[in-house]
Amino acid sequence: MLFRSSGPLSLEQVLQIAELRSESIAIARTSIRKAEGEEVRARAGLFPQVTASASYDRSLASEYSGLFNDASTGSSSSTTASLPFGQSNVWRMSLSASQNLFDFGRIRAQRAQAAVAHTTADLALTGTRAQLLFEVTQAYYNAALSDRLVAIAEATVTQATATLHQAEAGFRAGTQPEFDVLRARMVQAGFNMRQLFWATGILGFLISSVANNLTTALIMGTVITTLGRHDRKFVALSCINVINAIN
């Protein structure tokens, strides 16, 4: 059974498709059918066994022809026609029947063994199906989460771009400082707090080579407080990092 849908598949449809196409499920079901066959074979020993056979032989030449000749007339006698052997056409039919009366519990043990094998195969199928459903469900929700994270990331980039345009427009109008534009550009470029931490330290080290320590500290302090105005921990650690970099 194939599922055709113009939209995304539901979890139930995905589970059905996975079960239909799973080689592990097919192998487990084959083991169940094999166990059922073993049960039938073990149970067959309780019933009478009947065997029938038939055969036909056509003799083109008999080794007994000419054995009984009439010595007085020199002609062959028709005595061989009444013999039970040496006939041109021979039909054979046989029929035999047997019934097992006592086997010291062998059939009962075989039936018990086949029943245990059937139960084991059923449990294996249940375990295989449960493992498959777990893995498919986990993969399904991971894919749904990834899709949702992509949508969130796209919305974040769109918001960061809009914030950058707003900051640039405010800077051109003289209502926002240049540091707001710098902060918006870094956010729009995808920098996280860890990357900003190391970036401010490297910038402080480079600026300190052309400016004194006080000037570098004031510049980088302004940049850090602008970038992390809502994260006091980031501001404190970044300022300490800049002091270590310029000394």
Side-chain angles (χ1 to χ4, degrees):
M1 181 179 180
L2 298 178
F3 295 92
R4 296 181 180 179
S5 177
S6 58
L9 296 175
S10 63
L11 179 59
E12 290 75 12
Q13 292 175 327
V14 172
L15 293 177
Q16 292 179 11
I17 294 174
E19 186 171 352
L20 289 175
R21 298 182 179 180
S22 174
E23 295 182 358
S24 300
I25 296 293
I27 293 174
R29 288 174 176 170
T30 302
S31 299
I32 291 179
R33 289 193 291 269
K34 178 181 177 182
E36 292 174 349
E38 292 294 333
E39 285 185 321
V40 173
R41 186 176 67 174
R43 190 168 58 249
L46 299 175
F47 301 100
Q49 308 295 317
V50 179
T51 305
S53 62
S55 63
Y56 167 75
D57 294 334
R58 170 66 177 175
S59 299
L60 300 180
S62 176
E63 59 183 344
Y64 301 103
S65 59
L67 182 61
F68 301 98
N69 292 329
D70 192 345
S72 61
T73 61
S75 62
S76 177
S77 174
S78 61
T79 310
T80 57
S82 61
L83 295 176
F85 50 85
Q87 302 297 322
S88 299
N89 300 303
V90 180
W91 289 269
R92 296 185 181 90
M93 297 184 66
S94 64
L95 180 65
S96 63
S98 63
Q99 173 63 52
N100 193 349
L101 299 178
F102 186 72
D103 60 355
F104 298 95
R106 179 177 60 86
I107 295 179
R108 180 182 300 177
Q110 290 178 349
R111 293 184 64 187
Q113 182 180 5
V116 171
H118 194 181
T119 303
T120 303
D122 288 336
L123 294 176
L125 175 61
T126 302
T128 303
R129 181 183 289 111
Q131 182 66 26
L132 175 66
L133 296 182
F134 170 75
E135 294 177 354
V136 172
T137 302
Q138 186 178 30
Y140 180 84
Y141 283 115
N142 287 339
L145 177 61
S146 300
D147 185 68
R148 183 59 179 169
L149 291 177
V150 170
I152 293 174
E154 292 176 350
T156 301
V157 172
T158 302
Q159 183 180 4
T161 303
T163 302
L164 175 60
H165 293 164
Q166 183 180 1
E168 290 177 344
F171 175 72
R172 288 192 297 268
T175 58
Q176 287 184 283
E178 187 176 2
F179 286 109
D180 287 346
V181 178
L182 175 62
R183 180 175 183 274
R185 286 179 179 175
M186 287 188 173
V187 173
Q188 196 270 341
F191 284 93
N192 54 32
M193 290 301 181
R194 182 185 296 271
Q195 292 172 333
L196 292 177
F197 173 83
W198 292 110
T200 53
I202 294 173
L203 287 176
F205 175 78
L206 295 177
I207 294 175
S208 64
S209 62
V210 295
N212 57 45
N213 292 346
L214 180 60
T215 303
T216 303
L218 291 175
I219 294 174
M220 295 309 302
T222 304
V223 173
I224 291 172
T225 54
T226 302
L227 294 177
R229 62 179 64 178
H230 302 297
D231 192 343
R232 294 182 180 181
K233 183 178 180 181
F234 169 76
V235 173
L237 293 176
S238 296
C239 289
I240 294 173
N241 185 42
V242 169
I243 295 300
N244 293 329
I246 63 180
N247 288 313

